[in-house]
Amino acid sequence: MRKGWSFVMIIVVVFVILGAVCMGVGLLTGADFKRIFEVVDHEYAVTDMITAIRMIIQNPESIQTILQNVL
Amino acid sequence: MLDLCSKNLYNVYNCADQICEVIEINKRKFLTELGKLLTFMYEEDRLRALAMYERMFDGADETAVLQYLGSPTKQAVMVARAYNAKERKLAVTSQIGENDADVSQDEDPEFFRVIQDIREEAIQRGIMPDISDEQSSVFDDETDEADTAEALFEEDSSIEADNLTEEIMPDETPLPESDPVPVAEKDEHTSAEPVFEDLTDFEIDLPDEVTAFMAESEIYSEPVQQAENTERSEEPAAAGSEEAASDADESAAVTEAGEEPQEPYNYMLDLGPIPEEPRVDATEIDEYMAAFREKDENEEPVQPSPEQTTLFEPETQAVEKALPWKDDSEEENRSSGRLVVPIMILYLLVAVPLTTIAVLVLLVPTLIFLGLAAASGIAAFRIAMLAFNSFAVFADIIVVLGAALLLTALTIFFFWIFIWFIGGGIAGAINLAIQIGSKVCYREGKKA
């Protein structure tokens, strides 16, 4: 198990470092988070999902209306 | 014709090679060979015997002693006949267990007396110098012998190297190969003492000797022992001794006349009829071992002396390695304990529900981590696909790929925690329940 932990942790750290390097390079070369969020929102409707969750938290009875709209 | 010539040349070469090997035998080679042949003995006895043989060369003419002793195989056969492995096993076991200071003062083993007889006979013949009482006490000193033998075997590697060198190069004082004088005549000129055997016999009779030695060395083997006993009972001992005496006389006469013996010399005949070894009854051994175990259990463990530790440590380690049940103390306790059935049933009634609850409790975080791993994995895959499909700016693609890599790292981490919960948590809980059960349900005592 100890060997497994060390092996997995090495892989995780390598992936984290690679991801951080990629994000750093992207930000340095002119990436914009606003633009990226717009694309993601356009693909997966993230804003609508966030709005629906807020409504459910404020008024739990509205869950039926939301589910009807989604379905 | 050419083929015939090459065969003759080959025979001549072999003869010359044999003569060279005969001449090359010296004290070191003799002791090394003897040490290899005595490996059937316990290490302590072997070192002791070798040390005694080595002492025979002290202050004596090496060639004369070698001629007197003959081949290492002959000496090994004599020692093997006098060596009773069962008795020596008991003696060694008692030495380890009791750590008695008077062990060295116990009655000398049979092989020890045989070697002493050989030495005394050599002294009577004037081959070895007569050692005074003080020196003879040194001869009997075990520690000194052990030191000498150990020193001898420390040089074992160098001896092997020397032997290799001797095989390649001739000895320091080699006889010329073209020497027309036969070896038997040469022995008469060089030593006035009666020669027991020719050095040539060492090479010529080696296969027979080795066969005889191998048969004799299996003294622990019951079938071989029985077969030998039946053979001995068939042949009258008196006739055997007469034959041996007549053969010895013939060989002596031949040697005196300076003629080479036509038949190879047989050491077995020279040694006479094989005496029947004293047999130890199996029940006596069992009784002795039972008494020894009881005594050992009652007494506190005694630390062995440094000499004994160094002497028996490798053997003990080898035995421990060879015995698989020595490694697992739990298995030993379990097998020696007695199963208490009511406690076992009670334990099962309590432990099974508790273990089930523990497993179920552990399943909740396990499944949570599995879900997290799955969610992060799916997210990482989708983001990676999105980076290549929906983005046009290279910087944005790189940032999204970096986010996908971070999510992948999270996926791996969550999935490993899930495996750890299953293997370490759930399986560990079940193992713990089994271990506790084995401790609770078994009680110390005789096996039921």
Side-chain angles (χ1 to χ4, degrees), chain A residues 1 4-5 8 11 15 19 22-23 26 29 31-32 35-36 39-40 43-44, chain B residues 382 386 390-391 393 395-396 398-400 402 405-406 408-409 412 416 420 424:
Chain A
M1 275 292 176
W5 267 109
V8 167
I11 291 172
F15 271 81
C22 284
M23 289 182 82
T29 52
D32 187 7
R35 196 168 57 225
I36 292 168
V39 173
V40 173
E43 286 287 329
Y44 298 112
Chain B
R382 284 199 170 188
L386 189 71
S390 305
F391 288 97
V393 183
D396 293 349
I398 294 291
V399 168
V400 172
L405 283 170
L406 288 174
T408 310
I412 293 166
W416 172 248
W420 183 71

PDB file of all heavy atoms in Angstrom, chain A residues 1 4-5 8 11 15 19 22-23 26 29 31-32 35-36 39-40 43-44, chain B residues 382 386 390-391 393 395-396 398-400 402 405-406 408-409 412 416 420 424:
ATOM      1  N   MET A   1       0.820  -1.209   0.000  1.00  0.00           N
ATOM      2  CA  MET A   1       0.000   0.000   0.000  1.00  0.00           C
ATOM      3  C   MET A   1       0.854   1.259   0.000  1.00  0.00           C
ATOM      4  O   MET A   1       0.503   2.248  -0.641  1.00  0.00           O
ATOM      5  CB  MET A   1      -0.917   0.009   1.228  1.00  0.00           C
ATOM      6  CG  MET A   1      -2.222  -0.756   1.041  1.00  0.00           C
ATOM      7  SD  MET A   1      -3.283   0.072  -0.140  1.00  0.00           S
ATOM      8  CE  MET A   1      -4.629  -1.043  -0.246  1.00  0.00           C
ATOM      9  N   GLY A   4       2.046   1.837  -3.378  1.00  0.00           N
ATOM     10  CA  GLY A   4       0.925   2.314  -4.178  1.00  0.00           C
ATOM     11  C   GLY A   4       0.678   3.791  -3.948  1.00  0.00           C
ATOM     12  O   GLY A   4       0.483   4.559  -4.912  1.00  0.00           O
ATOM     13  N   TRP A   5       0.701   4.193  -2.687  1.00  0.00           N
ATOM     14  CA  TRP A   5       0.492   5.611  -2.365  1.00  0.00           C
ATOM     15  C   TRP A   5       1.549   6.486  -3.032  1.00  0.00           C
ATOM     16  O   TRP A   5       1.229   7.511  -3.645  1.00  0.00           O
ATOM     17  CB  TRP A   5       0.538   5.819  -0.840  1.00  0.00           C
ATOM     18  CG  TRP A   5      -0.801   5.743  -0.196  1.00  0.00           C
ATOM     19  CD1 TRP A   5      -1.268   4.752   0.603  1.00  0.00           C
ATOM     20  CD2 TRP A   5      -1.849   6.700  -0.299  1.00  0.00           C
ATOM     21  NE1 TRP A   5      -2.547   5.015   1.002  1.00  0.00           N
ATOM     22  CE2 TRP A   5      -2.928   6.218   0.462  1.00  0.00           C
ATOM     23  CE3 TRP A   5      -1.990   7.909  -0.976  1.00  0.00           C
ATOM     24  CZ2 TRP A   5      -4.124   6.898   0.584  1.00  0.00           C
ATOM     25  CZ3 TRP A   5      -3.196   8.600  -0.851  1.00  0.00           C
ATOM     26  CH2 TRP A   5      -4.254   8.073  -0.074  1.00  0.00           C
ATOM     27  N   VAL A   8       1.002   6.622  -6.845  1.00  0.00           N
ATOM     28  CA  VAL A   8      -0.157   7.434  -7.225  1.00  0.00           C
ATOM     29  C   VAL A   8       0.123   8.908  -6.980  1.00  0.00           C
ATOM     30  O   VAL A   8      -0.215   9.772  -7.810  1.00  0.00           O
ATOM     31  CB  VAL A   8      -1.396   6.951  -6.434  1.00  0.00           C
ATOM     32  CG1 VAL A   8      -2.538   7.944  -6.559  1.00  0.00           C
ATOM     33  CG2 VAL A   8      -1.846   5.595  -6.923  1.00  0.00           C
ATOM     34  N   ILE A  11       2.228  10.373  -9.714  1.00  0.00           N
ATOM     35  CA  ILE A  11       1.452  10.624 -10.940  1.00  0.00           C
ATOM     36  C   ILE A  11       0.570  11.859 -10.772  1.00  0.00           C
ATOM     37  O   ILE A  11       0.489  12.728 -11.664  1.00  0.00           O
ATOM     38  CB  ILE A  11       0.602   9.381 -11.293  1.00  0.00           C
ATOM     39  CG1 ILE A  11       1.520   8.246 -11.734  1.00  0.00           C
ATOM     40  CG2 ILE A  11      -0.389   9.694 -12.404  1.00  0.00           C
ATOM     41  CD1 ILE A  11       0.828   6.940 -11.930  1.00  0.00           C
ATOM     42  N   PHE A  15       0.704  15.340 -12.977  1.00  0.00           N
ATOM     43  CA  PHE A  15      -0.443  15.880 -13.709  1.00  0.00           C
ATOM     44  C   PHE A  15      -0.771  17.303 -13.246  1.00  0.00           C
ATOM     45  O   PHE A  15      -1.108  18.180 -14.070  1.00  0.00           O
ATOM     46  CB  PHE A  15      -1.666  14.972 -13.533  1.00  0.00           C
ATOM     47  CG  PHE A  15      -1.752  13.886 -14.558  1.00  0.00           C
ATOM     48  CD1 PHE A  15      -1.010  12.730 -14.437  1.00  0.00           C
ATOM     49  CD2 PHE A  15      -2.579  14.024 -15.659  1.00  0.00           C
ATOM     50  CE1 PHE A  15      -1.084  11.719 -15.384  1.00  0.00           C
ATOM     51  CE2 PHE A  15      -2.661  13.026 -16.616  1.00  0.00           C
ATOM     52  CZ  PHE A  15      -1.915  11.875 -16.480  1.00  0.00           C
ATOM     53  N   GLY A  19      -0.698  20.564 -15.610  1.00  0.00           N
ATOM     54  CA  GLY A  19      -1.894  21.407 -15.741  1.00  0.00           C
ATOM     55  C   GLY A  19      -1.589  22.848 -15.384  1.00  0.00           C
ATOM     56  O   GLY A  19      -2.004  23.786 -16.093  1.00  0.00           O
ATOM     57  N   CYS A  22       0.436  24.428 -18.141  1.00  0.00           N
ATOM     58  CA  CYS A  22      -0.401  24.722 -19.308  1.00  0.00           C
ATOM     59  C   CYS A  22      -1.240  25.989 -19.073  1.00  0.00           C
ATOM     60  O   CYS A  22      -1.330  26.877 -19.954  1.00  0.00           O
ATOM     61  CB  CYS A  22      -1.320  23.547 -19.603  1.00  0.00           C
ATOM     62  SG  CYS A  22      -0.487  22.167 -20.375  1.00  0.00           S
ATOM     63  N   MET A  23      -1.853  26.067 -17.900  1.00  0.00           N
ATOM     64  CA  MET A  23      -2.695  27.235 -17.605  1.00  0.00           C
ATOM     65  C   MET A  23      -1.848  28.505 -17.553  1.00  0.00           C
ATOM     66  O   MET A  23      -2.262  29.583 -18.032  1.00  0.00           O
ATOM     67  CB  MET A  23      -3.435  27.024 -16.287  1.00  0.00           C
ATOM     68  CG  MET A  23      -4.531  25.969 -16.403  1.00  0.00           C
ATOM     69  SD  MET A  23      -5.451  25.747 -14.914  1.00  0.00           S
ATOM     70  CE  MET A  23      -6.606  27.079 -15.046  1.00  0.00           C
ATOM     71  N   GLY A  26      -0.945  29.468 -21.061  1.00  0.00           N
ATOM     72  CA  GLY A  26      -2.131  30.003 -21.749  1.00  0.00           C
ATOM     73  C   GLY A  26      -2.438  31.414 -21.311  1.00  0.00           C
ATOM     74  O   GLY A  26      -2.724  32.310 -22.142  1.00  0.00           O
ATOM     75  N   THR A  29       0.051  33.826 -22.736  1.00  0.00           N
ATOM     76  CA  THR A  29      -0.038  34.035 -24.194  1.00  0.00           C
ATOM     77  C   THR A  29      -1.364  34.671 -24.635  1.00  0.00           C
ATOM     78  O   THR A  29      -1.685  34.671 -25.830  1.00  0.00           O
ATOM     79  CB  THR A  29       0.155  32.711 -24.938  1.00  0.00           C
ATOM     80  OG1 THR A  29      -0.730  31.742 -24.403  1.00  0.00           O
ATOM     81  CG2 THR A  29       1.586  32.213 -24.846  1.00  0.00           C
ATOM     82  N   ALA A  31      -4.759  34.303 -23.014  1.00  0.00           N
ATOM     83  CA  ALA A  31      -6.043  33.644 -22.763  1.00  0.00           C
ATOM     84  C   ALA A  31      -6.941  34.552 -21.913  1.00  0.00           C
ATOM     85  O   ALA A  31      -6.450  35.341 -21.118  1.00  0.00           O
ATOM     86  CB  ALA A  31      -5.816  32.322 -22.041  1.00  0.00           C
ATOM     87  N   ASP A  32      -8.251  34.408 -22.106  1.00  0.00           N
ATOM     88  CA  ASP A  32      -9.195  35.232 -21.363  1.00  0.00           C
ATOM     89  C   ASP A  32     -10.241  34.324 -20.734  1.00  0.00           C
ATOM     90  O   ASP A  32     -10.933  33.576 -21.436  1.00  0.00           O
ATOM     91  CB  ASP A  32      -9.845  36.240 -22.329  1.00  0.00           C
ATOM     92  CG  ASP A  32     -10.721  37.261 -21.600  1.00  0.00           C
ATOM     93  OD1 ASP A  32     -10.691  37.242 -20.332  1.00  0.00           O
ATOM     94  OD2 ASP A  32     -11.409  38.029 -22.259  1.00  0.00           O
ATOM     95  N   ARG A  35     -13.941  34.893 -21.951  1.00  0.00           N
ATOM     96  CA  ARG A  35     -14.200  34.282 -23.258  1.00  0.00           C
ATOM     97  C   ARG A  35     -14.386  32.760 -23.131  1.00  0.00           C
ATOM     98  O   ARG A  35     -15.287  32.171 -23.733  1.00  0.00           O
ATOM     99  CB  ARG A  35     -13.021  34.599 -24.186  1.00  0.00           C
ATOM    100  CG  ARG A  35     -13.310  34.369 -25.642  1.00  0.00           C
ATOM    101  CD  ARG A  35     -12.237  34.961 -26.515  1.00  0.00           C
ATOM    102  NE  ARG A  35     -10.915  34.444 -26.209  1.00  0.00           N
ATOM    103  CZ  ARG A  35      -9.818  35.206 -26.098  1.00  0.00           C
ATOM    104  NH1 ARG A  35      -9.892  36.520 -26.234  1.00  0.00           N
ATOM    105  NH2 ARG A  35      -8.644  34.688 -25.844  1.00  0.00           N
ATOM    106  N   ILE A  36     -13.515  32.179 -22.315  1.00  0.00           N
ATOM    107  CA  ILE A  36     -13.606  30.717 -22.122  1.00  0.00           C
ATOM    108  C   ILE A  36     -14.940  30.356 -21.468  1.00  0.00           C
ATOM    109  O   ILE A  36     -15.615  29.397 -21.881  1.00  0.00           O
ATOM    110  CB  ILE A  36     -12.427  30.236 -21.249  1.00  0.00           C
ATOM    111  CG1 ILE A  36     -11.102  30.386 -22.019  1.00  0.00           C
ATOM    112  CG2 ILE A  36     -12.602  28.774 -20.830  1.00  0.00           C
ATOM    113  CD1 ILE A  36      -9.888  30.220 -21.148  1.00  0.00           C
ATOM    114  N   VAL A  39     -17.848  30.368 -23.905  1.00  0.00           N
ATOM    115  CA  VAL A  39     -17.889  29.171 -24.753  1.00  0.00           C
ATOM    116  C   VAL A  39     -18.462  27.993 -23.980  1.00  0.00           C
ATOM    117  O   VAL A  39     -19.331  27.258 -24.482  1.00  0.00           O
ATOM    118  CB  VAL A  39     -16.474  28.847 -25.286  1.00  0.00           C
ATOM    119  CG1 VAL A  39     -16.476  27.511 -26.023  1.00  0.00           C
ATOM    120  CG2 VAL A  39     -15.978  29.945 -26.207  1.00  0.00           C
ATOM    121  N   VAL A  40     -18.003  27.836 -22.767  1.00  0.00           N
ATOM    122  CA  VAL A  40     -18.469  26.697 -21.946  1.00  0.00           C
ATOM    123  C   VAL A  40     -19.958  26.864 -21.636  1.00  0.00           C
ATOM    124  O   VAL A  40     -20.731  25.892 -21.667  1.00  0.00           O
ATOM    125  CB  VAL A  40     -17.638  26.604 -20.644  1.00  0.00           C
ATOM    126  CG1 VAL A  40     -18.195  25.544 -19.701  1.00  0.00           C
ATOM    127  CG2 VAL A  40     -16.191  26.273 -20.976  1.00  0.00           C
ATOM    128  N   GLU A  43     -22.020  25.908 -24.506  1.00  0.00           N
ATOM    129  CA  GLU A  43     -22.079  24.452 -24.741  1.00  0.00           C
ATOM    130  C   GLU A  43     -22.938  23.734 -23.704  1.00  0.00           C
ATOM    131  O   GLU A  43     -23.727  22.861 -24.044  1.00  0.00           O
ATOM    132  CB  GLU A  43     -20.656  23.876 -24.714  1.00  0.00           C
ATOM    133  CG  GLU A  43     -19.842  24.194 -25.948  1.00  0.00           C
ATOM    134  CD  GLU A  43     -20.282  23.406 -27.153  1.00  0.00           C
ATOM    135  OE1 GLU A  43     -20.759  22.254 -26.992  1.00  0.00           O
ATOM    136  OE2 GLU A  43     -20.178  23.945 -28.276  1.00  0.00           O
ATOM    137  N   TYR A  44     -22.759  24.106 -22.437  1.00  0.00           N
ATOM    138  CA  TYR A  44     -23.381  23.313 -21.352  1.00  0.00           C
ATOM    139  C   TYR A  44     -24.422  24.089 -20.538  1.00  0.00           C
ATOM    140  O   TYR A  44     -24.917  23.566 -19.542  1.00  0.00           O
ATOM    141  CB  TYR A  44     -22.307  22.776 -20.408  1.00  0.00           C
ATOM    142  CG  TYR A  44     -21.320  21.824 -21.092  1.00  0.00           C
ATOM    143  CD1 TYR A  44     -20.005  22.196 -21.276  1.00  0.00           C
ATOM    144  CD2 TYR A  44     -21.748  20.582 -21.556  1.00  0.00           C
ATOM    145  CE1 TYR A  44     -19.112  21.351 -21.908  1.00  0.00           C
ATOM    146  CE2 TYR A  44     -20.862  19.746 -22.205  1.00  0.00           C
ATOM    147  CZ  TYR A  44     -19.537  20.124 -22.367  1.00  0.00           C
ATOM    148  OH  TYR A  44     -18.674  19.289 -22.998  1.00  0.00           O
TER     149      TYR A  44
ATOM    150  N   ARG B 382     -14.714  15.646 -21.061  1.00  0.00           N
ATOM    151  CA  ARG B 382     -15.552  16.591 -21.815  1.00  0.00           C
ATOM    152  C   ARG B 382     -14.818  17.899 -22.056  1.00  0.00           C
ATOM    153  O   ARG B 382     -14.915  18.498 -23.140  1.00  0.00           O
ATOM    154  CB  ARG B 382     -16.850  16.863 -21.044  1.00  0.00           C
ATOM    155  CG  ARG B 382     -17.827  15.726 -21.159  1.00  0.00           C
ATOM    156  CD  ARG B 382     -19.226  16.182 -20.816  1.00  0.00           C
ATOM    157  NE  ARG B 382     -20.202  15.155 -21.139  1.00  0.00           N
ATOM    158  CZ  ARG B 382     -21.510  15.329 -21.080  1.00  0.00           C
ATOM    159  NH1 ARG B 382     -21.996  16.502 -20.719  1.00  0.00           N
ATOM    160  NH2 ARG B 382     -22.345  14.376 -21.392  1.00  0.00           N
ATOM    161  N   LEU B 386     -13.895  19.602 -25.518  1.00  0.00           N
ATOM    162  CA  LEU B 386     -14.340  20.972 -25.786  1.00  0.00           C
ATOM    163  C   LEU B 386     -13.167  21.845 -26.260  1.00  0.00           C
ATOM    164  O   LEU B 386     -13.334  22.689 -27.140  1.00  0.00           O
ATOM    165  CB  LEU B 386     -14.958  21.547 -24.503  1.00  0.00           C
ATOM    166  CG  LEU B 386     -15.674  22.891 -24.611  1.00  0.00           C
ATOM    167  CD1 LEU B 386     -16.984  22.724 -25.368  1.00  0.00           C
ATOM    168  CD2 LEU B 386     -15.963  23.441 -23.219  1.00  0.00           C
ATOM    169  N   SER B 390     -14.361  23.541 -29.690  1.00  0.00           N
ATOM    170  CA  SER B 390     -15.097  24.809 -29.618  1.00  0.00           C
ATOM    171  C   SER B 390     -14.219  26.043 -29.527  1.00  0.00           C
ATOM    172  O   SER B 390     -14.719  27.161 -29.679  1.00  0.00           O
ATOM    173  CB  SER B 390     -16.038  24.811 -28.408  1.00  0.00           C
ATOM    174  OG  SER B 390     -16.889  23.674 -28.474  1.00  0.00           O
ATOM    175  N   PHE B 391     -12.970  25.895 -29.189  1.00  0.00           N
ATOM    176  CA  PHE B 391     -12.115  27.078 -29.020  1.00  0.00           C
ATOM    177  C   PHE B 391     -11.294  27.335 -30.274  1.00  0.00           C
ATOM    178  O   PHE B 391     -10.813  26.385 -30.918  1.00  0.00           O
ATOM    179  CB  PHE B 391     -11.187  26.901 -27.813  1.00  0.00           C
ATOM    180  CG  PHE B 391     -11.910  27.001 -26.491  1.00  0.00           C
ATOM    181  CD1 PHE B 391     -12.314  25.860 -25.818  1.00  0.00           C
ATOM    182  CD2 PHE B 391     -12.195  28.243 -25.939  1.00  0.00           C
ATOM    183  CE1 PHE B 391     -12.977  25.949 -24.616  1.00  0.00           C
ATOM    184  CE2 PHE B 391     -12.863  28.322 -24.724  1.00  0.00           C
ATOM    185  CZ  PHE B 391     -13.254  27.170 -24.064  1.00  0.00           C
ATOM    186  N   VAL B 393      -8.930  30.214 -30.209  1.00  0.00           N
ATOM    187  CA  VAL B 393      -7.683  30.861 -29.759  1.00  0.00           C
ATOM    188  C   VAL B 393      -6.794  29.799 -29.088  1.00  0.00           C
ATOM    189  O   VAL B 393      -7.247  29.026 -28.238  1.00  0.00           O
ATOM    190  CB  VAL B 393      -8.003  32.020 -28.788  1.00  0.00           C
ATOM    191  CG1 VAL B 393      -6.722  32.735 -28.365  1.00  0.00           C
ATOM    192  CG2 VAL B 393      -8.986  32.981 -29.410  1.00  0.00           C
ATOM    193  N   ALA B 395      -4.320  30.171 -26.953  1.00  0.00           N
ATOM    194  CA  ALA B 395      -4.110  30.393 -25.522  1.00  0.00           C
ATOM    195  C   ALA B 395      -5.266  29.808 -24.715  1.00  0.00           C
ATOM    196  O   ALA B 395      -5.058  29.183 -23.652  1.00  0.00           O
ATOM    197  CB  ALA B 395      -3.961  31.891 -25.250  1.00  0.00           C
ATOM    198  N   ASP B 396      -6.485  29.985 -25.233  1.00  0.00           N
ATOM    199  CA  ASP B 396      -7.653  29.428 -24.547  1.00  0.00           C
ATOM    200  C   ASP B 396      -7.602  27.890 -24.519  1.00  0.00           C
ATOM    201  O   ASP B 396      -7.940  27.258 -23.509  1.00  0.00           O
ATOM    202  CB  ASP B 396      -8.939  29.884 -25.240  1.00  0.00           C
ATOM    203  CG  ASP B 396      -9.164  31.399 -25.099  1.00  0.00           C
ATOM    204  OD1 ASP B 396      -8.430  32.012 -24.285  1.00  0.00           O
ATOM    205  OD2 ASP B 396     -10.020  31.933 -25.812  1.00  0.00           O
ATOM    206  N   ILE B 398      -4.980  26.028 -24.557  1.00  0.00           N
ATOM    207  CA  ILE B 398      -3.956  25.584 -23.593  1.00  0.00           C
ATOM    208  C   ILE B 398      -4.490  25.658 -22.164  1.00  0.00           C
ATOM    209  O   ILE B 398      -4.309  24.735 -21.362  1.00  0.00           O
ATOM    210  CB  ILE B 398      -2.690  26.469 -23.733  1.00  0.00           C
ATOM    211  CG1 ILE B 398      -2.022  26.261 -25.079  1.00  0.00           C
ATOM    212  CG2 ILE B 398      -1.693  26.176 -22.619  1.00  0.00           C
ATOM    213  CD1 ILE B 398      -1.393  24.913 -25.253  1.00  0.00           C
ATOM    214  N   VAL B 399      -5.204  26.730 -21.869  1.00  0.00           N
ATOM    215  CA  VAL B 399      -5.759  26.884 -20.506  1.00  0.00           C
ATOM    216  C   VAL B 399      -6.767  25.778 -20.221  1.00  0.00           C
ATOM    217  O   VAL B 399      -6.758  25.165 -19.131  1.00  0.00           O
ATOM    218  CB  VAL B 399      -6.393  28.288 -20.357  1.00  0.00           C
ATOM    219  CG1 VAL B 399      -7.228  28.356 -19.079  1.00  0.00           C
ATOM    220  CG2 VAL B 399      -5.340  29.365 -20.321  1.00  0.00           C
ATOM    221  N   VAL B 400      -7.638  25.497 -21.195  1.00  0.00           N
ATOM    222  CA  VAL B 400      -8.660  24.458 -20.988  1.00  0.00           C
ATOM    223  C   VAL B 400      -8.008  23.085 -20.848  1.00  0.00           C
ATOM    224  O   VAL B 400      -8.435  22.262 -20.010  1.00  0.00           O
ATOM    225  CB  VAL B 400      -9.686  24.487 -22.154  1.00  0.00           C
ATOM    226  CG1 VAL B 400     -10.633  23.309 -22.072  1.00  0.00           C
ATOM    227  CG2 VAL B 400     -10.482  25.774 -22.124  1.00  0.00           C
ATOM    228  N   GLY B 402      -5.058  22.562 -19.617  1.00  0.00           N
ATOM    229  CA  GLY B 402      -4.479  22.554 -18.265  1.00  0.00           C
ATOM    230  C   GLY B 402      -5.522  22.203 -17.229  1.00  0.00           C
ATOM    231  O   GLY B 402      -5.260  21.420 -16.299  1.00  0.00           O
ATOM    232  N   LEU B 405      -6.148  18.549 -17.346  1.00  0.00           N
ATOM    233  CA  LEU B 405      -5.092  17.789 -16.664  1.00  0.00           C
ATOM    234  C   LEU B 405      -5.289  17.826 -15.149  1.00  0.00           C
ATOM    235  O   LEU B 405      -5.088  16.813 -14.453  1.00  0.00           O
ATOM    236  CB  LEU B 405      -3.721  18.360 -17.034  1.00  0.00           C
ATOM    237  CG  LEU B 405      -3.188  17.970 -18.430  1.00  0.00           C
ATOM    238  CD1 LEU B 405      -1.949  18.778 -18.769  1.00  0.00           C
ATOM    239  CD2 LEU B 405      -2.851  16.487 -18.453  1.00  0.00           C
ATOM    240  N   LEU B 406      -5.672  18.966 -14.640  1.00  0.00           N
ATOM    241  CA  LEU B 406      -5.915  19.056 -13.185  1.00  0.00           C
ATOM    242  C   LEU B 406      -7.054  18.131 -12.768  1.00  0.00           C
ATOM    243  O   LEU B 406      -6.982  17.456 -11.727  1.00  0.00           O
ATOM    244  CB  LEU B 406      -6.233  20.512 -12.803  1.00  0.00           C
ATOM    245  CG  LEU B 406      -5.056  21.484 -12.848  1.00  0.00           C
ATOM    246  CD1 LEU B 406      -5.529  22.901 -12.585  1.00  0.00           C
ATOM    247  CD2 LEU B 406      -3.998  21.094 -11.836  1.00  0.00           C
ATOM    248  N   THR B 408      -7.937  15.451 -14.323  1.00  0.00           N
ATOM    249  CA  THR B 408      -7.444  14.072 -14.432  1.00  0.00           C
ATOM    250  C   THR B 408      -6.679  13.670 -13.170  1.00  0.00           C
ATOM    251  O   THR B 408      -6.817  12.548 -12.677  1.00  0.00           O
ATOM    252  CB  THR B 408      -6.530  13.929 -15.657  1.00  0.00           C
ATOM    253  OG1 THR B 408      -7.194  14.473 -16.797  1.00  0.00           O
ATOM    254  CG2 THR B 408      -6.168  12.490 -15.930  1.00  0.00           C
ATOM    255  N   ALA B 409      -5.865  14.610 -12.669  1.00  0.00           N
ATOM    256  CA  ALA B 409      -5.132  14.328 -11.431  1.00  0.00           C
ATOM    257  C   ALA B 409      -6.096  14.056 -10.285  1.00  0.00           C
ATOM    258  O   ALA B 409      -5.904  13.114  -9.489  1.00  0.00           O
ATOM    259  CB  ALA B 409      -4.214  15.495 -11.084  1.00  0.00           C
ATOM    260  N   ILE B 412      -7.553  10.536 -10.693  1.00  0.00           N
ATOM    261  CA  ILE B 412      -6.640   9.480 -10.237  1.00  0.00           C
ATOM    262  C   ILE B 412      -6.608   9.430  -8.705  1.00  0.00           C
ATOM    263  O   ILE B 412      -6.642   8.347  -8.092  1.00  0.00           O
ATOM    264  CB  ILE B 412      -5.221   9.716 -10.818  1.00  0.00           C
ATOM    265  CG1 ILE B 412      -5.232   9.538 -12.336  1.00  0.00           C
ATOM    266  CG2 ILE B 412      -4.213   8.759 -10.207  1.00  0.00           C
ATOM    267  CD1 ILE B 412      -4.002  10.060 -13.020  1.00  0.00           C
ATOM    268  N   TRP B 416      -7.837   6.220  -6.444  1.00  0.00           N
ATOM    269  CA  TRP B 416      -6.914   5.506  -5.554  1.00  0.00           C
ATOM    270  C   TRP B 416      -7.467   5.423  -4.125  1.00  0.00           C
ATOM    271  O   TRP B 416      -7.344   4.403  -3.455  1.00  0.00           O
ATOM    272  CB  TRP B 416      -5.542   6.198  -5.574  1.00  0.00           C
ATOM    273  CG  TRP B 416      -4.630   5.624  -4.531  1.00  0.00           C
ATOM    274  CD1 TRP B 416      -4.171   6.235  -3.417  1.00  0.00           C
ATOM    275  CD2 TRP B 416      -4.109   4.291  -4.494  1.00  0.00           C
ATOM    276  NE1 TRP B 416      -3.405   5.385  -2.688  1.00  0.00           N
ATOM    277  CE2 TRP B 416      -3.338   4.176  -3.334  1.00  0.00           C
ATOM    278  CE3 TRP B 416      -4.230   3.191  -5.339  1.00  0.00           C
ATOM    279  CZ2 TRP B 416      -2.685   3.011  -2.981  1.00  0.00           C
ATOM    280  CZ3 TRP B 416      -3.585   2.024  -4.985  1.00  0.00           C
ATOM    281  CH2 TRP B 416      -2.818   1.947  -3.822  1.00  0.00           C
ATOM    282  N   TRP B 420      -8.111   2.174  -1.987  1.00  0.00           N
ATOM    283  CA  TRP B 420      -7.545   2.069  -0.641  1.00  0.00           C
ATOM    284  C   TRP B 420      -8.631   1.728   0.382  1.00  0.00           C
ATOM    285  O   TRP B 420      -8.404   0.945   1.308  1.00  0.00           O
ATOM    286  CB  TRP B 420      -6.875   3.398  -0.298  1.00  0.00           C
ATOM    287  CG  TRP B 420      -6.186   3.396   1.020  1.00  0.00           C
ATOM    288  CD1 TRP B 420      -5.040   2.743   1.345  1.00  0.00           C
ATOM    289  CD2 TRP B 420      -6.605   4.076   2.189  1.00  0.00           C
ATOM    290  NE1 TRP B 420      -4.711   2.980   2.656  1.00  0.00           N
ATOM    291  CE2 TRP B 420      -5.660   3.795   3.197  1.00  0.00           C
ATOM    292  CE3 TRP B 420      -7.691   4.909   2.490  1.00  0.00           C
ATOM    293  CZ2 TRP B 420      -5.768   4.317   4.486  1.00  0.00           C
ATOM    294  CZ3 TRP B 420      -7.781   5.421   3.769  1.00  0.00           C
ATOM    295  CH2 TRP B 420      -6.826   5.120   4.759  1.00  0.00           C
ATOM    296  N   GLY B 424      -7.660  -1.620   1.918  1.00  0.00           N
ATOM    297  CA  GLY B 424      -7.137  -1.395   3.268  1.00  0.00           C
ATOM    298  C   GLY B 424      -8.215  -1.340   4.322  1.00  0.00           C
ATOM    299  O   GLY B 424      -8.036  -1.864   5.420  1.00  0.00           O
TER     300      GLY B 424
END
